[in-house]
Each structure stands twice: as C-alpha cells, then as structure tokens.
Amino acid sequence: MAVMTAAEVNPTLLAWAREQSGYAPETVAKRLGVKPDRLEAWERGDLKPTVRQAQELAKYYHRPFGVLFLPQPPVVAPLASEYRRLPGVQPGVESPEFRLALRVMLQRRQVTLELSEELGQAWPEFTTSAHQSDGASKVGQRLRSALGVTIEQQLAWRDEWQAWREWRAAVENAGVLVFQFPKVPLEQARGVSLFEFPVPVVGINSKESSPGARVYSLLHELVHVALAVGRDEQVALTERRSAAEWRELERFAEEAASEAIIPDSALQEQLRRTSVARDAWDVRQVRALASKFRVTPLAMATRLRSAGAFTWAGYQLWKSAWDDFVASLPARKGGIATPVDKTLGRAGRPFSQLVLEALDANRITAVDASRYLDLKFDHVEKLRAELGEARAGASGTDDGE
C-alpha cells in the first residue's frame, strides 16, 4: 500500500487562502471529497492534508503551492478598496468567482506597470475628470472628445463587433486597461472599474454576448473612472452615498455613457429624418435607429429618454415591450473560442503585446509569459501571428468567449 506523505503546510495559511477566495468550508470539502470537519481540522493544525490534497487546495484557491508554507499570511488590501461600488455586491463578501476576477485584473495591471518600466515604455495617463454637477451631457461629450472617436468613423463601422473593438482600443489608447472577466453571473456584475491610478482598469463581463452591450458597459464604467479622477466617487469600501443617492449616480453614469456613444448633434440629425411622436417609439423603430450607431436598442432607448423623445413613463412602457421581445427570442448559441481568442478577449491586445515584447527582450521567461497570458506556450506563436495580422489591418477576432 502506498504511503501518503503529509504536507507540512501552515494551517493558518490554509484558512487564510480559503477565506481570501471567498469559499465556505463545506464547498471546499465537497470539492476535495472530504468531510467538512476534516478540512476544519487541517485549518486548526490538528491534522495535515497529504501533499496531493494540499496541491489541490492551492489550485482551487488559485494560489501558488508555496504560499501554504509561509510563516504568516501575506498582507493584502481588501478587494473593496480597489473597485467601485456595485449594486448588489456587498464589500467584503464578494462571490469567489468575482474575487478571482478582481485578483486577476489587479495582477495584470501590476504586470503592465512592471513590464512597461522594464522596457522603458510610458503608459498614457488618463486625466479626464468628471463631477455630477457638470451634468451628464457635458461629461459624455468630454469623454468622447478624450477618446477621439468621430461620428463619421462610428457610422462607417461594419457592425457591432467592429464597434466594440474600436471603442475598446480608444479607451486603452487613453490610458485605461480594458480586461474581460469570465465565470461571473451577469446579475452580479456586467462591468466594474478599479480605481487604481495612474493606470485604472475597466473590466467587462465576458458572459455579455452582445458587443453593443459591452460597449455600453465600457463607457458606463469609464464615466465612473472619470468621477474618481475628479474625486467625486470613491472605492466601495469608503463610498458613503445613500441608496437613493447611489441610484442617482448610476443614472447619471448611464446618461453620460449614452451621450458619449450617441452624441446629441448626431442623434438630432437622425430624429429630424423621422416622424415619430414623443413616446410613440416601438421596438422595431428603436432597433433600426440603434443599428445606425452600432449600439444596443436598450442603450438607444436610454439615449432617447435623455434627449426627450421618451418621457420616463413612456420609456418604462417601451422597456416592458422590449423585455417581452427579448424573452420571445430563441436562445443564442455561442461559438467555440480558441485559446488565443480567449486571451485577446480577456487580457486585451496592449497587455498581450507588452508580454510578448518582454519575452522577446529576455526580460521574462516563457513560463512567465504563459502564466501572465493564461495561455499554454504552444499557443504563444499563434497569439503573435494574430497580433501581427491586426497591425497589418486584418479585422482580428471578435474577442468573444
């Protein structure tokens, strides 16, 4: 019979890693196929897991195996001191999936700063600020100006996927890292922004299948970043607005994002070509107008409301009709994304390019590159080819999941 070797792990670190990952003891015990009281005995130091079990724990917690042997837990800032307040997400009790997503994005930001310094590259600084007192319309116009996207370019885009790629590139060029995060339910978070400066981060939920919805979430989160630059918003841990005040801020961000994506001058030009009375817009008409700007019908309806084409009551009626329409649609069948597609979608092109440049300059190892990109080294050359095609003018992937 084979002898099971006990792992001389620090029991305090076992408890710390589980708690930091947001898992209940029962969940972890079930995953490992042991009883909860055995897991608790490991964390008290009464028993020790085998080496294999300790490795499984480290893998499940997404921590290096060596962390479990440290003399004391690392000092880490609460995640809620990094991200903006989100509806329905209570600081300190985030889901394990969301915690992991935040950790990965924060790690990629840190890698970006370190590699940029190693290579002598300067990352642009995002300095556009916003205040609620400025008004949503002015903030939206300010953001669009900062991103440098013209209405002529936007109307010439081929489809919503190109719109997503172009808006994402514009935000990244302005000095904001844009990542996508997987495995988090949309009900938890469609997007999130990390108030880390000088290089803030916007994260978009990759479960959002519509590229137009990703664009809207991207600009919505960028409004929150601009509010943080203007010191008009704080991280979730210290945000003190009441629930009513927070709803008002979210509505402000919605309207500012809508103005940034659909400028009033361009919208009014389109409205002059129609003869739809106020509150008379139906689902078909809003969809047709939305397609011109490569946005979702819901984003267009929000913009029509702020432009006065809908009253609030009229918008609510339209929204009810829209929800019924969406419910009647057949389930969307997603394609199968390649490993390179997933890396480009989640990590982004600037980050991926930076890692490859650091690898070529011998500043990092192949193992480092694979870990940073979450990509097997066998696929790294395919990633390099994809990035080369994009620079040559090819359309690239849809950055989907």
Side-chain angles (χ1 to χ4, degrees):
M1 181 180 294
V3 178
M4 298 295 184
T5 304
E8 297 298 323
V9 295
N10 184 339
T12 302
L13 265 296
L14 289 179
W16 174 85
R18 177 181 58 75
E19 291 165 359
Q20 285 289 310
S21 297
Y23 289 113
E26 295 77 13
T27 303
V28 179
K30 183 177 181 180
R31 174 64 179 249
L32 264 69
V34 300
K35 293 183 178 180
D37 58 359
R38 177 170 288 271
L39 178 72
E40 292 167 359
W42 293 343
E43 294 182 356
R44 290 194 305 270
D46 297 340
L47 296 174
K48 292 197 176 292
T50 65
V51 171
R52 184 189 63 78
Q53 288 170 329
Q55 290 173 333
E56 284 295 312
L57 284 170
K59 181 178 179 181
Y60 191 46
Y61 297 150
H62 293 272
R63 300 283 180 179
F65 183 48
V67 166
L68 303 182
F69 296 85
L70 293 176
Q72 58 187 17
V75 177
V76 295
L79 287 173
S81 67
E82 312 281 1
Y83 67 87
R84 79 170 181 90
R85 178 175 171 179
L86 290 167
V89 177
Q90 184 178 346
V93 291
E94 304 87 357
S95 72
E97 296 79 12
F98 191 49
R99 283 178 175 239
L100 176 60
L102 292 168
R103 281 169 42 204
V104 169
M105 290 189 288
L106 286 166
Q107 180 193 44
R108 283 178 173 158
R109 175 185 176 274
Q110 186 61 37
V111 169
T112 297
L113 295 176
E114 292 172 358
L115 295 186
S116 294
E117 183 176 0
E118 281 279 335
L119 297 172
Q121 298 181 4
W123 188 264
E125 185 174 356
F126 183 79
T127 58
T128 305
S129 64
H131 302 87
Q132 274 188 276
S133 59
D134 296 336
S137 181
K138 286 186 178 179
V139 169
Q141 293 167 15
R142 189 180 306 154
L143 283 175
R144 180 159 187 132
S145 177
L147 296 179
V149 177
T150 69
I151 191 63
E152 291 77 18
Q153 290 172 320
Q154 182 177 355
L155 296 179
W157 289 337
R158 182 176 59 257
D159 53 27
E160 284 189 21
W161 280 115
Q162 184 182 4
W164 160 242
R165 289 192 293 270
E166 298 288 352
W167 280 114
R168 180 176 186 173
V171 172
E172 290 169 331
N173 290 337
V176 179
L177 285 167
V178 180
F179 300 134
Q180 292 188 93
F181 53 88
K183 300 180 181 179
V184 177
L186 285 172
E187 296 74 22
Q188 246 181 76
R190 291 182 176 274
V192 65
S193 38
L194 308 183
F195 295 165
E196 287 281 354
F197 297 95
V199 185
V201 175
V202 166
I204 304 298
N205 196 328
S206 60
K207 284 185 177 292
E208 190 70 81
S209 58
S210 163
R214 295 186 195 187
V215 169
Y216 185 75
S217 292
L218 174 63
L219 271 294
H220 180 103
E221 294 303 326
L222 193 64
V223 173
H224 286 286
V225 172
L227 287 167
V229 172
R231 300 185 182 279
D232 222 12
E233 186 175 349
Q234 300 181 46
V235 293
L237 192 65
T238 56
E239 180 60 58
R240 293 293 179 261
R241 284 180 173 86
S242 67
E245 290 170 333
W246 183 252
R247 286 193 294 270
E248 187 61 33
L249 183 69
E250 281 290 271
R251 185 176 298 179
F252 173 89
E254 289 174 2
E255 294 183 357
S258 296
E259 170 66 35
I261 301 170
I262 310 165
D264 185 66
S265 57
L267 177 61
Q268 294 301 328
E269 175 65 25
Q270 294 295 328
L271 292 179
R272 281 192 289 271
R273 300 176 184 179
T274 69
S275 57
V276 183
R278 193 182 194 193
D279 283 346
W281 292 84
D282 60 23
V283 168
R284 179 189 59 80
Q285 291 165 326
V286 174
R287 289 182 71 198
L289 186 58
S291 68
K292 295 180 182 296
F293 291 89
R294 308 305 184 208
V295 300
T296 65
L298 190 55
M300 178 56 73
T302 299
R303 187 68 186 86
L304 289 172
R305 185 192 71 207
S306 65
F310 273 127
T311 63
W312 182 252
Y315 170 80
Q316 294 287 10
L317 286 173
W318 181 90
K319 178 65 163 52
S320 178
W322 171 249
D323 290 341
D324 291 341
F325 171 77
V326 171
S328 71
L329 296 175
R332 186 191 298 265
K333 294 183 179 180
I336 299 176
T338 68
V340 168
D341 291 343
K342 287 184 178 180
T343 291
L344 287 175
R346 296 176 185 179
R349 293 174 184 271
F351 179 83
S352 300
Q353 186 65 49
L354 183 65
V355 171
L356 292 183
E357 289 176 8
L359 177 63
D360 293 342
N362 293 319
R363 299 306 177 99
I364 60 174
T365 67
V367 174
D368 292 330
S370 296
R371 185 173 74 256
Y372 295 157
L373 296 168
D374 192 19
L375 186 70
K376 291 182 179 179
F377 193 71
D378 294 348
H379 296 290
V380 168
E381 290 308 311
K382 295 179 182 179
L383 173 64
R384 191 189 302 278
E386 177 65 35
L387 288 168
E389 289 176 7
R391 287 197 301 273
S395 61
T397 69
D398 284 344
D399 288 350
E401 285 294 310

